[in-house]
Amino acid sequence: MISETVVELSRAQFALHAVQYFLFVPLTLGLSLLLTAMESWFVLSGQGVYQRITQFWGKLFAIGFGLSMASSLVMASQFGTHWSYFAHYVGDVFALPLLLGFAGLFIAANGLGWFLLGWQRLGKGTHLAVTWLIAIGCHLSVFGFLIASGWMQNPVGAELNTQTLRLELLDVSMVLCNPLALAKFVHSLLASYVVAAGFVLAISAYYLLKQRETELAQCSYRIAAALGLASVIATAAIGDTSVYGAGAMQHNKLAAINGLPNHETLAQNRQRIDNGIKAYALLQELRDDKKEPELLAAFAAAKVDLGYGLLLKRWRESVTDASPAQIEQAVSASVPAGGRLYWGYKLMIAAGALLALLFVAANAVNFVGWRHAWLLKASVYALPLPWLASASGWFISEFGRQPWLVADMLPIWQGVSTLAVADLAVSLAAYGLTYTGLLALAVMLTLKFIGQGSATALPINQEPSYVA
């Protein structure tokens, strides 16, 4: 039985990687869309300002993408180092989604060098194709990772092998077309566009307040305001569709964010734990290579609740010998803590509402051609709001999954590796220092490029010397 300290330190280390990931991935995903729109308009209209805009925001995109790449690679390695049984359990299912995720990352990474250095080496159409390739790669990457994440909340298309104790993929189309995962993907895309729009809006407003880069800032402000408003409206229209999925876990999450009591759910989970204990006992007999039809039929009827029996592994190695008190502990642990989800949801809604008001105001003044300093200042000060809304949404999604790694099948404490507390503490400290340094470097580079403005870009009226 793995200690609570090992479980909590493993979770803390994964959370550290996830925080870094969710700081930069939404920004780079949204900026990739803006870059394609801006450069496409430059190619179609020939207006040099849109080339300068693309070059400027492209440099800031590159900073975020570098951090996104690093956090994605390290976070995935955590599955093998800190969550080894989880990797064993879901490896058959996760192979394709993670392949898509990393393929998208490497596609975008290969295009980034051409994007940054190819302005005077590639033709207009070729450079635009590279920019589109980067955006496609970014979106493919997020699609793959969110298919994996969504599957953990609605595991379909796989079956437990009773001998290897791992899931085996039965239907890849069910995994890739998982309705909850697809809803999560669309919702996350729209949230990413809001993050990028808020980022561009804030920096553009800063330039306008300082009366610097006026033409670039005005164009960027208009584009960001339009994208932000459209994305906020679409996000609100679609809503948190992924929360309204089927399954006990989604119902528990929905009850928690609405502050509703879980008395009925706890009673149901008490019955499921009893049935899970029975399923666990039957599984042990099947692993002894017993193949009687009656035994197989009994396990088939009870296996849906096997995960609830495994909840008892937190307090007792032998599930079938659990005491009534331990069963009650498992019942209490079978639902997420409601208070944090409730306030997390309120925070997300509040941040989203403030952003909607800001984008409405920004679009209104863009329409009438009048801008006041108070709105520009509000745009700058609102910079944290998109991340606050996005992070709150991710918190609801992931914390609301507790206590499961795979919904109704694999509890968190069953998935961790057997590691020493000292090793976990040292690696957590090392990762914390490394990520703090990388974050500080990213902020310094961002501020440096903002300070430089478009000084390193080609002059507005100068066409680059494209190769034929």
Side-chain angles (χ1 to χ4, degrees), residues 59 85 187 221 263 313 327 383 404 410-411 455:
K59 291 187 294 184
Y85 183 69
H187 192 77
Y221 194 89
H263 304 310
K313 287 277 191 176
I327 291 175
L383 179 59
W404 304 104
L410 185 69

Short mmCIF file of all heavy atoms in Angstrom, two decimals, residues 59 85 187 221 263 313 327 383 404 410-411 455:
data_model
loop_
_atom_site.label_atom_id
_atom_site.label_comp_id
_atom_site.label_asym_id
_atom_site.label_seq_id
_atom_site.Cartn_x
_atom_site.Cartn_y
_atom_site.Cartn_z
N LYS A 59 7.08 36.59 -32.79
CA LYS A 59 8.18 36.48 -31.82
C LYS A 59 7.65 36.11 -30.44
O LYS A 59 8.25 35.29 -29.74
CB LYS A 59 8.95 37.80 -31.76
CG LYS A 59 9.75 38.12 -33.01
CD LYS A 59 10.62 39.35 -32.83
CE LYS A 59 9.79 40.62 -32.64
NZ LYS A 59 10.63 41.83 -32.56
N TYR A 85 1.87 2.60 -12.93
CA TYR A 85 0.75 1.67 -13.14
C TYR A 85 -0.32 2.31 -14.02
O TYR A 85 -0.95 1.63 -14.84
CB TYR A 85 0.13 1.23 -11.81
CG TYR A 85 -0.98 0.23 -12.06
CD1 TYR A 85 -0.69 -1.05 -12.52
CD2 TYR A 85 -2.32 0.58 -11.90
CE1 TYR A 85 -1.70 -1.96 -12.80
CE2 TYR A 85 -3.33 -0.32 -12.18
CZ TYR A 85 -3.02 -1.59 -12.63
OH TYR A 85 -4.02 -2.48 -12.92
N HIS A 187 -14.40 23.43 -26.37
CA HIS A 187 -14.45 24.40 -25.29
C HIS A 187 -13.06 24.97 -25.00
O HIS A 187 -12.88 26.18 -24.80
CB HIS A 187 -15.02 23.74 -24.03
CG HIS A 187 -15.38 24.70 -22.94
ND1 HIS A 187 -16.51 25.47 -22.95
CD2 HIS A 187 -14.74 25.03 -21.79
CE1 HIS A 187 -16.57 26.23 -21.87
NE2 HIS A 187 -15.49 25.97 -21.14
N TYR A 221 -5.44 45.78 -31.90
CA TYR A 221 -6.52 45.99 -30.93
C TYR A 221 -7.86 45.63 -31.55
O TYR A 221 -8.70 44.97 -30.92
CB TYR A 221 -6.51 47.44 -30.45
CG TYR A 221 -7.35 47.70 -29.21
CD1 TYR A 221 -6.80 47.56 -27.95
CD2 TYR A 221 -8.68 48.09 -29.32
CE1 TYR A 221 -7.55 47.80 -26.81
CE2 TYR A 221 -9.44 48.33 -28.19
CZ TYR A 221 -8.87 48.18 -26.94
OH TYR A 221 -9.62 48.42 -25.81
N HIS A 263 -26.13 13.44 -0.96
CA HIS A 263 -26.60 12.35 -0.11
C HIS A 263 -27.02 11.13 -0.94
O HIS A 263 -26.67 9.99 -0.62
CB HIS A 263 -27.78 12.82 0.76
CG HIS A 263 -27.44 14.01 1.61
ND1 HIS A 263 -26.31 14.06 2.40
CD2 HIS A 263 -28.07 15.20 1.78
CE1 HIS A 263 -26.26 15.23 3.03
NE2 HIS A 263 -27.32 15.95 2.66
N LYS A 313 -8.31 0.46 -1.60
CA LYS A 313 -6.86 0.25 -1.59
C LYS A 313 -6.13 1.39 -0.89
O LYS A 313 -4.96 1.25 -0.51
CB LYS A 313 -6.35 0.11 -3.02
CG LYS A 313 -6.71 -1.20 -3.71
CD LYS A 313 -5.73 -2.29 -3.32
CE LYS A 313 -5.90 -3.52 -4.18
NZ LYS A 313 -4.88 -4.55 -3.87
N ILE A 327 -14.89 1.16 4.67
CA ILE A 327 -15.85 1.30 3.58
C ILE A 327 -16.50 2.68 3.62
O ILE A 327 -16.68 3.33 2.58
CB ILE A 327 -16.92 0.18 3.67
CG1 ILE A 327 -16.29 -1.17 3.34
CG2 ILE A 327 -18.09 0.47 2.72
CD1 ILE A 327 -17.21 -2.35 3.51
N LEU A 383 -5.39 41.88 -18.20
CA LEU A 383 -4.54 40.83 -18.77
C LEU A 383 -4.63 39.49 -18.03
O LEU A 383 -4.67 38.44 -18.67
CB LEU A 383 -3.08 41.32 -18.82
CG LEU A 383 -2.05 40.33 -19.36
CD1 LEU A 383 -2.37 39.91 -20.79
CD2 LEU A 383 -0.64 40.93 -19.30
N TRP A 404 -10.68 9.97 -9.15
CA TRP A 404 -10.36 9.03 -10.22
C TRP A 404 -9.25 9.53 -11.13
O TRP A 404 -9.21 10.70 -11.47
CB TRP A 404 -11.61 8.77 -11.08
CG TRP A 404 -12.78 8.28 -10.30
CD1 TRP A 404 -13.89 9.00 -9.95
CD2 TRP A 404 -12.96 6.97 -9.77
NE1 TRP A 404 -14.75 8.22 -9.23
CE2 TRP A 404 -14.21 6.96 -9.10
CE3 TRP A 404 -12.20 5.81 -9.79
CZ2 TRP A 404 -14.71 5.83 -8.46
CZ3 TRP A 404 -12.68 4.68 -9.15
CH2 TRP A 404 -13.92 4.69 -8.50
N LEU A 410 -10.22 3.57 -12.17
CA LEU A 410 -8.90 3.55 -11.54
C LEU A 410 -8.74 4.75 -10.62
O LEU A 410 -8.63 5.89 -11.08
CB LEU A 410 -7.81 3.57 -12.61
CG LEU A 410 -6.38 3.43 -12.08
CD1 LEU A 410 -6.13 2.03 -11.52
CD2 LEU A 410 -5.36 3.74 -13.18
N PRO A 411 -8.70 4.52 -9.29
CA PRO A 411 -8.48 5.63 -8.35
C PRO A 411 -7.06 6.17 -8.47
O PRO A 411 -6.14 5.49 -8.91
CB PRO A 411 -8.70 4.98 -6.98
CG PRO A 411 -9.41 3.71 -7.24
CD PRO A 411 -8.98 3.25 -8.60
N ALA A 455 10.66 47.10 -34.15
CA ALA A 455 11.89 47.71 -34.66
C ALA A 455 12.69 46.75 -35.52
O ALA A 455 13.38 47.16 -36.45
CB ALA A 455 12.75 48.20 -33.50
#
